[in-house]
Amino acid sequence: TDHIFNGLENLAAFKHLRHLSLRQSLDESILSQLKNLQDLECTLPISVLQEGERQILPAGLKSLVLWNGRLAPVLKTLKQLKGLELRYFEDTYLDEEPEWHNLEGMEVLTDFSWATVLRDDGAVFAREISNRLPQLEKIDFGIWEPSHIVLFNNLTSLNMYIEPDQVIQLVSLCRDAGKLPNLRSIRSDSAISWLDPAVWQKIVSPTFLWPRLEKLQLFHHHRRRREGFNDLQGVWKSFCESHSRTAGTTPLKTLVAPLNVEALLEISNTFSDSLNHLYIIFPKDFGREITESDSSSTKWLQVIARFSRLRSIQTSSSFPGSDGDVRKYLLPLKTLESLKMR
């Protein structure tokens, strides 16, 4: 930013700026002139953080990321703020009790992230924030315990790394107590935890647990392990059958998951007209399985081509099939905008 503007004082000349992202400190004299900002990432000087409820930040801010941020009274003046993220330049422990009362009155805030390291198990953190911001739809501040997560019953998005026993607890709480009914997006870096049969059974039986789910992203970062992926076809067949028999379900639009070609075929039978984004993750040996014959690669392409509304396709390893096959099966996908085959 310094190179572009030759000094932060020149930022004030850009009076129509709506989006500004930098880590440098912005003092009050600059902030007072950037009245049209809607998205801001910066560091605020201590003098501003210690101010009372005086309108220092642009009143129209909808998204704010603060480096070395804290719950300060100035945040309560932002009546249109929907997303708030508090970051630090390095791992930071909270040695003092946060000023929780500064969250009160922020009724429009729906997305809250706090990059801090909790000294306890996060129970106090979760309770204090859920009491003051019950409307939150997205959270991210290291609260992984299922009992903490379900305090935020209006969540529409869940992003977490979680162990199998924790997934079972979370799914049980949602199934038995009717928690997180509005969930539309799940992202996890532990696909094996979710695809465990004991977990999966609670998600799909007797009806589909989250009928509004549109985005399911189950990443798998342990590619040297294939355990837990022995019956992918059965797993996804039960998912699709449960989805189809549950009234009022929302069609799946985004899927990231470990898949074999048989599992993808099952998915195409249910979501061929709705899926927009597909990321296929090959566990160990899937790549070698494809290279054994061109027919295997062709079969993958044939199944992918069944998804008529795909906008993006990504795979964790490349298909060895000929360019002619790729053109033959993927060119007819008129909505395709992005293709990444590693």
Side-chain angles (χ1 to χ4, degrees):
T1 303
D2 288 336
H3 291 296
I4 296 173
F5 295 108
N6 192 27
L8 291 178
E9 66 275 6
N10 292 322
L11 273 174
F14 295 83
K15 299 184 182 300
H16 298 290
L17 275 183
R18 300 178 71 181
H19 313 281
L20 177 61
S21 176
L22 53 105
R23 295 191 185 185
Q24 288 92 330
S25 180
L26 285 181
D27 61 32
E28 183 177 346
S29 63
I30 296 175
L31 288 168
S32 64
Q33 298 181 67
L34 298 175
K35 299 182 182 298
N36 292 310
L37 279 181
Q38 293 185 3
D39 305 293
L40 173 63
E41 175 180 349
C42 71
T43 302
L44 290 180
I46 297 298
S47 59
V48 172
L49 292 174
Q50 291 177 339
E51 281 277 0
E53 294 181 40
R54 187 165 64 86
Q55 191 73 56
I56 298 173
L57 296 171
L61 278 180
K62 293 181 172 61
S63 173
L64 177 62
V65 178
L66 288 183
W67 287 89
N68 283 351
R70 71 185 210 199
L71 292 177
V74 69
L75 298 176
K76 299 176 70 173
T77 66
L78 301 174
K79 302 304 182 183
Q80 299 183 46
L81 194 69
K82 293 185 177 296
L84 174 62
E85 183 171 351
L86 303 179
R87 293 183 183 177
Y88 302 90
F89 290 106
E90 56 188 24
D91 286 348
T92 300
Y93 287 90
L94 290 183
D95 292 317
E96 299 178 358
E97 187 73 6
E99 297 177 305
W100 302 113
H101 63 275
N102 287 321
L103 287 174
E104 294 169 359
M106 303 183 71
E107 291 87 357
V108 299
L109 194 66
T110 58
D111 186 351
F112 185 44
S113 175
W114 198 340
T116 187
V117 181
L118 303 177
R119 290 193 182 278
D120 61 9
D121 64 356
V124 173
F125 211 69
R127 185 178 65 251
E128 292 287 352
I129 295 175
S130 63
N131 284 340
R132 289 172 168 82
L133 303 175
Q135 76 280 3
L136 283 182
E137 298 177 2
K138 299 178 183 179
I139 56 170
D140 185 6
F141 36 83
I143 297 177
W144 307 133
E145 289 296 325
S147 59
H148 302 164
I149 294 168
V150 296
L151 292 175
F152 300 87
N153 203 40
N154 288 318
L155 285 186
T156 61
S157 178
L158 194 61
N159 183 352
M160 59 195 305
Y161 183 94
I162 192 168
E163 298 300 327
D165 59 330
Q166 292 177 307
V167 180
I168 291 175
Q169 184 184 354
L170 174 65
V171 171
S172 296
L173 283 169
C174 293
R175 174 70 75 181
D176 301 336
K179 297 295 185 179
L180 309 186
N182 300 318
L183 209 59
R184 293 183 173 88
S185 173
I186 294 174
R187 187 192 190 283
S188 176
D189 290 336
S190 180
I192 288 178
S193 299
W194 288 87
L195 297 178
D196 180 277
V199 175
W200 206 250
Q201 187 64 20
K202 284 184 172 292
I203 293 175
V204 301
S205 179
T207 57
F208 190 63
L209 179 56
W210 292 299
R212 299 185 180 184
L213 194 68
E214 297 180 347
K215 182 183 295 185
L216 180 60
Q217 298 173 285
L218 302 180
F219 289 90
H220 176 50
H221 293 314
H222 306 285
R223 293 184 188 168
R224 294 181 180 177
R225 296 177 53 195
R226 194 173 178 177
E227 305 94 300
F229 297 107
N230 295 324
D231 187 25
L232 285 173
Q233 181 180 9
V235 162
W236 291 104
K237 182 178 181 180
S238 64
F239 179 92
C240 295
E241 289 176 347
S242 174
H243 196 280
S244 297
R245 69 170 176 263
T246 304
T249 50
T250 300
L252 201 63
K253 295 181 180 178
T254 298
L255 177 63
V256 177
L259 299 169
N260 56 24
V261 70
E262 291 80 15
L264 187 60
L265 183 60
E266 292 288 349
I267 293 166
S268 71
N269 291 331
T270 303
F271 301 109
S272 61
D273 293 332
S274 67
L275 205 67
N276 297 141
H277 306 283
L278 174 64
Y279 183 177
I280 302 169
I281 298 174
F282 302 121
K284 183 185 176 185
D285 296 332
F286 278 32
R288 185 162 64 250
E289 171 190 315
I290 296 171
T291 60
E292 289 173 357
S293 68
D294 286 339
S295 61
S296 178
S297 173
T298 300
K299 188 173 182 181
W300 274 100
L301 291 169
Q302 287 173 333
V303 176
I304 291 173
R306 299 185 66 182
F307 295 92
S308 60
R309 298 188 179 182
L310 278 180
R311 295 175 57 189
S312 69
I313 303 170
Q314 185 170 346
T315 62
S316 60
S317 60
S318 62
F319 290 112
S322 67
D323 290 343
D325 279 345
V326 173
R327 288 195 300 269
K328 176 180 178 181
Y329 293 106
L330 300 188
L331 273 180
L333 298 176
K334 301 302 182 183
T335 58
L336 193 62
E337 300 172 352
S338 174
L339 182 59
K340 296 180 182 179
M341 292 186 176
R342 301 188 183 279

